[in-house]
Amino acid sequence: MRLAEALAARKDAQKQIVQLKQRLTQNAMTQEGDQTPEDPADLLREYERTMDE
């Protein structure tokens, strides 16, 4: 059962990493003076935390 739980957690983490990469890409480029919907620095920290798990 532990293997199944570990594999499920890994799959969830991989899905979250893909989503974070997409959100980072979407928020990385904006026109000068425009605000991004999400702070790219916060997204990057969340990405790094997820990668460390």
Side-chain angles (χ1 to χ4, degrees):
M1 204 55 163
R2 288 184 181 174
L3 177 60
E5 291 170 359
L7 290 173
R10 179 178 166 197
K11 182 179 178 183
D12 290 342
Q14 287 175 334
K15 186 188 305 183
Q16 185 176 7
I17 288 167
V18 168
Q19 291 173 347
L20 284 166
K21 283 181 180 179
Q22 290 172 342
R23 289 166 54 198
L24 274 165
T25 302
Q26 292 170 349
N27 287 283
M29 292 195 288
T30 60
Q31 292 210 352
E32 188 174 336
D34 287 349
Q35 293 270 343
T36 58
E38 297 181 87
D39 183 12
D42 289 342
L43 291 173
L44 187 56
R45 282 190 290 275
E46 185 178 345
Y47 173 81
E48 290 170 346
R49 274 195 310 269
T50 303
M51 290 297 290
D52 289 341
E53 291 180 357

